[in-house]
Amino acid sequence: MSVNTRTLKGSAEDVWKVLADGWLYPLWVVGASRMRDVDDTWPAVGSQLHHSVGAWPLLIDDSTEVLESVPGSRLVLRARAWPMGDARVEIEMHPDGDAGTTEVVIREDATAGPALLLPSPLRQPTLAWRNTETLRRLAYLVERRQRG
């Protein structure tokens, strides 16, 4: 499983506000290119984001489902990215109230599909690179919302 960590300037609630706005998903998730729909109950367990992956004109419509949701603390997703397969993505927020920061941890690994054909040591570097950029984008959104 790939594990990435980044400390963001802002509270866990600030981070959660970005995660809870499903329409922002393609702004911080590497690979998601557009939103088609967001369930009204997002990010409740069982709710889904309906997004596309890829670059135009080679877009694939897919979805991401909430498996676990603890506001301000933890979000677990089943992300679909076919034809590569499914992945389990765990996002945790660990606030440091005194510093006004939150450590965000993303754990991800493939759970179904052709991506599992790659041995873990070959899968993990790509996931680590992708989630480093995902956390960078998430930080921009969280920190920018606080300023303006």
Side-chain angles (χ1 to χ4, degrees):
M1 178 171 280
S2 172
V3 180
N4 290 72
T5 303
R6 182 177 178 123
T7 300
L8 313 180
K9 296 175 188 159
S11 67
E13 291 75 26
D14 294 330
V15 175
W16 186 259
K17 286 177 186 175
V18 172
L19 299 178
D21 184 343
W23 291 101
L24 295 177
Y25 190 76
L27 296 180
W28 61 272
V29 175
V30 173
S33 55
R34 68 176 177 197
M35 291 305 302
R36 295 177 292 111
D37 195 18
V38 176
D39 286 359
D40 291 338
T41 57
W42 179 266
V45 172
S47 63
Q48 292 187 3
L49 297 175
H50 307 275
H51 53 80
S52 300
V53 296
W56 187 89
L58 303 174
L59 293 170
I60 298 171
D61 291 344
D62 239 321
S63 63
T64 293
E65 179 182 1
V66 177
L67 302 176
E68 184 180 335
S69 181
V70 181
S73 179
R74 181 173 165 82
L75 185 64
V76 179
L77 307 170
R78 181 178 61 90
R80 295 176 45 88
W82 286 87
M84 292 305 295
D86 291 358
R88 179 180 172 94
V89 181
E90 302 173 6
I91 304 169
E92 293 181 352
M93 291 143 274
H94 305 283
D96 182 348
D98 294 336
T101 61
T102 300
E103 179 187 69
V104 180
V105 179
I106 295 181
R107 293 178 183 86
E108 180 177 1
D109 204 358
T111 57
L116 286 176
L117 296 175
L118 284 173
S120 183
L122 296 177
R123 260 193 333 264
Q124 301 318 312
T126 302
L127 291 173
W129 170 84
R130 179 180 167 289
N131 286 328
T132 295
E133 178 61 19
T134 290
L135 284 171
R136 181 179 296 125
R137 293 177 184 189
L138 182 61
Y140 290 154
L141 287 170
V142 170
E143 294 167 4
R144 194 71 181 132
R145 284 181 149 210
Q146 292 175 16
R147 289 194 270 159

